[in-house]
């Protein structure tokens, strides 16, 4: 059940990041999910550098925001590399 929730959250985060990012980002639903999951990990790593919280994988509003920021950074990097 944990992986289903992770996939659903990843799709939502990926779609929000694609909506916020300026310009058209052509990506499938699965690609959006992978983008959101990758953004969650990237945002979690960055947030983990600035906090001493034990349970970094608990669902929190700041985690969602950092996931979206991480996904936006991934879109930027992928665009620079010519992958998206």
């Amino acid at each position: 059940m944990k992986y289903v929730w992770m996939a659903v959250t990843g799709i939502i985060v990926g779609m929000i990041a694609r909506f916020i990012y300026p310009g058209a980002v052509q990506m499938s639903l699965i690609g959006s999910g992978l983008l959101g999951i990758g953004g969650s990990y990237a945002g979690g790593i960055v947030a983990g550098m600035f906090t001493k919280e034990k349970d970094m994988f608990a669902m929190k509003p700041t985690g969602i925001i950092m996931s979206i920021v991480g996904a936006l950074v991934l879109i930027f990097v992928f665009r620079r590399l010519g992958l998206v």
Side-chain angles (χ1 to χ4, degrees), residues 10-68:
I11 290 170
I12 293 169
V13 166
M15 293 182 88
I16 291 171
R18 284 179 46 207
F19 179 74
I20 292 173
Y21 195 83
V25 179
Q26 299 298 324
M27 196 177 293
S28 67
L29 190 62
I30 294 172
S32 293
L34 293 175
L35 173 72
I37 292 170
S40 294
Y41 280 111
I45 289 170
V46 171
M49 291 179 190
F50 298 107
T51 185
K52 297 187 188 256
E53 188 171 336
K54 303 269 188 229
D55 188 17
M56 287 184 8
F57 297 107
M59 182 69 89
K60 293 180 275 297
T62 55
I64 298 290
I65 293 168
M66 286 304 294
S67 297
I68 294 170

